[in-house]
Amino acid sequence: MTTQLATPTDPQVHPPLDADLEQQLETHRAELTAHAYRMLGSAFEAEDAVQETMVRAWRALDRFEGRAALRSWLYRIATNVCLDMLSGRKKRARPMDMGPAGVADASLLGDWLPEVTWVEPIPDDRAVPDGGDPAEVAVARESIRLAFVAALQHLAPRQRAVLILREVLRWQASEVAELLDTTVASVNSALQRARATLAQANLSEAGASEPMDEEHQALLARYVDAFERYDMDALTALLREDAHWNMPPYALWLQTHRDIVGWCLGPGIGCQGSRLVPVRVNGGLGYAQYKPAPDGGLEAWSIQVVELSGNRIAGITFFLDTQRLFPLFGLPLRLEQ
């Protein structure tokens, strides 16, 4: 579902928006949503930021004289909207970014932390342009990978903007300087600091992933089979030894095979008998998990983002905030068996 541009209706404020121009603005919505998502780490906030961008663009049309491309102008507005939204906020994260791995003990779960704590998933259809140049679509998918977006949150907002504009969107330093009302020297300095921060935290390769080839598709098929059969031996055989198992909005995360199995057969035993429904999420293939409901049927339990490395699964993040996330993905909260 695409949110159409909301505009003021008072003709004294501004004349009605030309239909052709509205369509031009809308053609940029997906890529602007991806940009805002990288900046903010939240699909919901990204959509709010893009809506605000469209409204600001509409209101400023009389000051847009075509000296810059419409796309560049929209990116300028969107970036400033995101910087405004990030002012004074704590960074979003994954549980694994907040402390050491835990153990399979339900008593360690604690309370749900607020949604503003976490990097959240995003459906591909909100952030990846439909059609277009295959190379650009590939870059769009790669640059919304969960690990990459989580890594970006370690950067100060302006450094984050510079790194995204320079290394994801491939803008020239002079273009970024103009967008941010700063100098080329400042842009280059911010980019160096951003790279150093990611390297120091061992996050410089966080966005790297391999193409989804037949081998990876087969790996995911084996994962679905093992999870739905709840075969712990088959499941752990697919995981790297250091695979991470995140469960926001809980702060607890697991890493060892022993703790993952202990969790699945202990506090997480209610997931036995689950069904996994494929979804396109964060530039790759993930799953909507439905687990057995007490009154029969299956109830929404998590959106799973699966990260691959070579011929193994590097990590799985289970996003448990089903009331917000399943509607975002256009999914029902219940399935009948």
Side-chain angles (χ1 to χ4, degrees):
M1 180 180 67
T2 300
T3 303
Q4 293 300 311
L5 175 58
T7 57
T9 57
D10 185 352
Q12 300 302 314
V13 175
H14 205 287
L17 184 63
D18 178 81
D20 290 340
L21 182 54
E22 180 177 4
Q23 183 57 40
Q24 289 183 54
L25 294 177
E26 288 297 328
T27 61
H28 296 288
R29 184 177 288 274
E31 64 174 311
L32 291 173
T33 301
H35 179 57
Y37 175 65
R38 297 180 201 109
M39 287 289 296
L40 301 170
S42 163
F44 300 98
E45 289 190 349
E47 293 197 339
D48 288 345
V50 172
Q51 192 63 19
E52 176 63 18
T53 296
M54 296 300 190
V55 171
R56 289 190 190 184
W58 185 88
R59 289 174 175 165
L61 281 177
D62 58 343
R63 299 194 297 276
F64 176 64
E65 300 175 358
R67 289 191 296 268
L70 177 63
R71 179 174 181 265
S72 300
W73 185 58
L74 290 172
Y75 268 100
R76 179 189 183 100
I77 298 172
T79 301
N80 285 321
V81 168
C82 291
L83 291 173
D84 289 345
M85 293 175 68
L86 288 167
S87 179
R89 292 193 184 184
K90 294 183 179 179
K91 67 182 179 71
R92 289 178 177 265
R94 295 176 295 176
M96 61 185 288
D97 300 320
M98 299 180 67
V103 296
D105 186 338
S107 67
L108 300 179
L109 278 177
D111 297 327
W112 277 30
L113 296 183
E115 62 85 14
V116 295
T117 307
W118 308 114
V119 174
E120 297 177 313
I122 191 168
D124 279 17
D125 62 8
R126 300 295 181 101
V128 178
D130 186 18
D133 181 83
E136 293 180 0
V137 171
V139 170
R141 288 188 175 130
E142 187 70 20
S143 61
I144 58 169
R145 296 285 184 182
L146 185 66
F148 180 60
V149 174
L152 289 173
Q153 309 311 302
H154 288 259
L155 304 175
R158 287 180 71 86
Q159 290 181 21
R160 195 181 311 172
V162 167
L163 186 132
I164 293 168
L165 292 165
R166 291 282 284 118
E167 300 205 337
V168 175
L169 299 175
R170 299 297 180 184
W171 285 31
Q172 298 296 320
S174 57
E175 295 173 314
V176 178
E178 182 178 358
L179 183 149
L180 294 174
D181 291 323
T182 188
T183 65
V184 169
S186 294
V187 167
N188 290 335
S189 176
L191 181 59
Q192 289 179 348
R193 292 196 302 273
R195 288 171 173 166
T197 298
L198 296 184
Q200 185 176 11
N202 295 317
L203 297 168
S204 56
E205 299 299 321
S209 65
E210 301 170 39
M212 181 61 69
D213 56 19
E214 291 183 1
E215 182 179 358
H216 290 128
Q217 291 174 0
L219 172 61
L220 289 173
R222 292 196 298 275
Y223 166 72
V224 171
D225 176 67
F227 195 96
E228 291 188 338
R229 290 189 296 110
Y230 228 59
D231 183 332
M232 293 298 108
D233 289 337
L235 179 62
T236 53
L238 303 175
L239 303 177
R240 276 183 12 178
E241 287 295 330
D242 61 347
H244 49 83
W245 191 276
N246 288 274
M247 295 173 287
Y250 293 117
L252 175 69
W253 67 284
L254 308 172
Q255 189 163 40
T256 70
H257 287 188
R258 182 182 66 183
D259 280 314
I260 289 172
V261 171
W263 182 269
C264 290
L265 298 181
I269 193 63
C271 290
Q272 188 171 20
S274 290
R275 183 187 305 173
L276 301 187
V277 176
V279 293
R280 296 296 310 188
V281 54
N282 284 89
L285 185 61
Y287 301 95
Q289 177 191 349
Y290 291 86
K291 73 170 189 176
D295 58 347
L298 298 165
E299 61 185 1
W301 183 248
S302 73
I303 296 291
Q304 300 183 8
V305 177
V306 183
E307 299 171 52
L308 305 181
S309 176
N311 62 352
R312 288 290 185 271
I313 294 173
I316 307 171
T317 301
F318 300 79
F319 292 94
L320 306 182
D321 192 356
T322 57
Q323 296 296 318
R324 297 173 69 245
L325 293 177
F326 273 60
L328 178 69
F329 282 81
L331 294 167
L333 293 175
R334 186 178 178 87
L335 295 179
E336 299 303 325
Q337 288 182 313

